Structures are given as structure tokens and as C-alpha cells.
Amino acid sequence: MAERLVIIGGDATGMSAASQARRLRNRDELEIVVFERGHFASYSACGIPYWVGGAVADRDQLIARTPAEHRARDIELRLRTEVIEIDIDRARVHARDLESGERNWLGYDRLVIATGARPIRPDLPGIDAPGVYGVQTLDDGAELIDGLGQAAGKQAVVIGAGYIGVEMAEALIQHGFEVTVINRGVEPMSTLDPDMGALIRTAMHDMGVRIVGGAEVTEIGTDSTGRARSVITTDAEYPADIVVLGIGVLPETRLARDAGLPLGEYGGLLTDTAMRVRGHADIWAGGDCVEVLDLVSGMYRHIPLGTHANKHGQVIGANIGGGYATFPGVVGTAVSKVCELEVARTGLREKDARAAGLQFVTVTIESTSRAGYYPDPAPMTVKMLAERLTGRLLGVQIVGREGAGKRVDIAAVALTAGMTVEQMTNLDLGYAPPFSPVWDPVLVAARKAVGAVRKRG
């Protein structure tokens, strides 16, 4: 009799795990059942802001594999079905059909928890009013696009200035809205140090986005029909025909918590390097619902990124399918784009390094994306952190125009390899005037960091 693999969550981790396990074991050996509460599976949530903004023309372009394609590979995908309870003692899950309300228990031999993350939605007056939108799923994106077409005016407020917040600001500009971004932090993009965030604030201001930093939202103002019409802070009120929430996410681990599974400091599930939930031989977890090892600091963190989620799924599927794979950890690499501005980071910020008890030096350099004499060199700023005595690279942040963002991959590789900034200066990178100055900006920063380490050491 075939074993049964039950997967909770049908996006990046869940469907990657299902697909990889199916490659290694056929239906006679392994039955695969996936529960997904939404209308879609295997889609790119990262692409939603670009679909909303019009850079991606059609929703279906964000879908990597359709439900029919999964089912054709003997993966039973149950859409609009929500798991409401995990019974570990009896190795079963309790599922509810969201259309009919019908409930059923289903046993499992192997279980994968891929429940992702849930958007932070503060408990404020008016937060659930019509005209207030989250941006987490394809359904959310479709609702927002419809709302943009029905808006009474062209005033939009984005609450939060993280990746989603700044990307949605660009999307709204593309629709002709006047955009205000309200942020609790002084500078946007708290994944960067404040001095680098200030560069983003300036650039967004130049693009016509109003940034309100250090503000605490207290209420969503509504009109006589109950529709959102403003965002109210402790200091001011901002008119809004559309309100978009971009405050961030938390691990969606309420099912796991209720089942008694181990959670970490940030509320994410804790796993071993095979992505198996600690203390449970037949339960795996991955994606935005887990905490991962930071290879630079040695601490566990919650880093919700699609790149990690897909890798987790591959590792889980390989192990369940009879192979062997591990996920050693991350260095926290991320890249984003706001209009013509590219933003990238990897490794530790200053406050991360302090939290890890590390002594460090920082350097910041200004450079260009190509040789200065070649047409249209684009400016960029590179900030680098290095350990004070050893010179070990700790982190890199880049803000610039075309050609800036993907340079962070140089630093990501160096961090993963545990390189020092001095070793980095000897990297044999490609050079030609259309692509970089003779010294790549990342290597210029490394050279300056070497000097800072020697001075402090």
C-alpha cells in the first residue's frame, strides 16, 4: 500500500516538495495530497506588485504550473480547502472545504507544513473597511486592481515602507495616483541601515512619492458609507481613495503552535538541516513559516523570501522521496526595484552585527555602474561591514541605478564562502567599460574596508 504525503500549503515550498517527491517516487509508492486554501497554487507572490503596476500584463504569467498540470502528474491538489487542525498523535489533519463547509479528517504517513506567512494587519479602527487592501496573494492583487479602477480619486496611501510598501508605491504611480507612504521608522526600507535608507527616501521623493517617516498610524478614516477615505496618524490626516498595507509579515504557524510543534524566537517553526521539524521524524516544514540559520551571525532569523521557499521545497521533496538533501542556511540576500532605483542587501546590518556581539568597521563608497567615460554611467552607493580584527565580510548594502542591484551577488558568494574583505579584493571579476569601472564598485568598497580593518586592528 502506498504511503500518503499530506502537504499544507500549495505555493512555493509545498508544490516544490510535491513535485520533487513525485519525481523520485511514483503513485504506487507515494500518494500526494496538497491542501491550499486559495484559488491558485504555484504562483509568484513577488510578482504581484509588477502585475498591479502593469509591467506584467496578465495574472496567469505569474503562475508557474496550473492545478491541471499538477494533477496530471498524480498530485492531488485540493484548492479552496483549509486545514484547521493537525492531530499529531493520530497522524491526521482536519480539513474544511471553504465552498461547501464540509469537514473531513485525512491521515498521513508524512506531513509537510508550508503555510507561509500572514500579513501584519494592525488592530485599528477602519482597518477592514472597503478600500483597504493587502498584497499577499493573487486574489489580493485582483481585488486591488479592481479597486484602482473604481477609486473615486487619485490619492493613495501606502502604510509601511518595506519591500512591498515601496514596490506598491511604484505600482500606484504607474496608475497615475499621488502616493504617500507612511512609515513607522524614520527612513524607508528597515532591511537597510538608516543612512542607506535615506538615499531611498531622497530618490522616492524625486520620483514624486511623499514619504512620511516616524509616523504612527492610529486609524483609517471612513466616510458615511464606511469606505476608507483617509489615513490618520498621531500628528496628521492624509486623504486616501486607496489604502495599501505593506507593513510586513509574520510566520503563519498558528496550526503548528496549536499542535505543539517547536517554534523559535520569531514564531517560526524550527527544523534541522533536512527541513524536518525538530523532534518529529515524519513532519517537515519550509518557506515563510520557518526560521533559518543565518550563516554570518550564527543566529536563527525569520527571512521570508521566495528563493528560500523553493529551495526548502526541493530539500523536503528529495528527503521524502528517498534521496538526501540539506539546507545549510542563508546570508539574507534580497534585491528590489523602485522605479529606476535598485536596492540590494546581503548579510548583516549594523544593528544585526551588534546583536550578534560582533565588533565591526563600516565603509561607504560612491561609484558608477560602468566606466566613467562610457556613455550613461549610473551612480551607486555601496556600504560594507567587516569584522574589526579578522576582516571577515559581514554585510553589503547597495543603492543605485541600472546595474547596481545584482552586484550584491558578488557579496553573497563571498559571505557564503566566509571570505575576508582582503580576499575579496583579489576576486577575478569580469571587466569591460560597458559593464563596470576597472575596479568594480564592490571591490572598491572591499579595498576601503581593508584599510579600515588595518587601521582599527
Side-chain angles (χ1 to χ4, degrees), residues 378-417:
M380 75 175 72
T381 302
V382 180
K383 180 176 182 177
M384 184 171 288
L385 279 69
E387 196 167 18
R388 178 179 174 182
L389 295 181
T390 67
R392 177 172 67 109
L393 179 67
L394 296 179
V396 170
Q397 300 164 37
I398 303 174
V399 175
R401 303 286 169 165
E402 181 183 3
K406 286 295 284 180
R407 274 185 161 86
V408 79
D409 290 341
I410 303 170
V413 172
L415 282 168
T416 304

Side-chain angles (χ1 to χ4, degrees), residues 295-297 331 346-348 358 360-361 363 382-388 390-397 408-424 427 442 445-446 449 453:
L295 296 174
V296 186
S297 69
V331 294
T346 189
L348 307 182
L358 296 169
F360 59 92
V361 298
V363 298
V382 180
K383 180 176 182 177
M384 184 171 288
L385 279 69
E387 196 167 18
R388 178 179 174 182
T390 67
R392 177 172 67 109
L393 179 67
L394 296 179
V396 170
Q397 300 164 37
V408 79
D409 290 341
I410 303 170
V413 172
L415 282 168
T416 304
M419 295 178 70
T420 66
V421 288
E422 188 161 9
Q423 289 171 327
M424 287 182 68
L427 288 174
V442 174
V453 169

Side-chain angles (χ1 to χ4, degrees), residues 335-352:
V335 64
S336 186
K337 177 179 175 294
V338 190
C339 296
E340 300 305 318
L341 190 70
E342 299 181 5
V343 181
R345 57 73 48 89
T346 189
L348 307 182
R349 299 164 296 179
E350 290 189 27
K351 72 176 185 179
D352 300 324

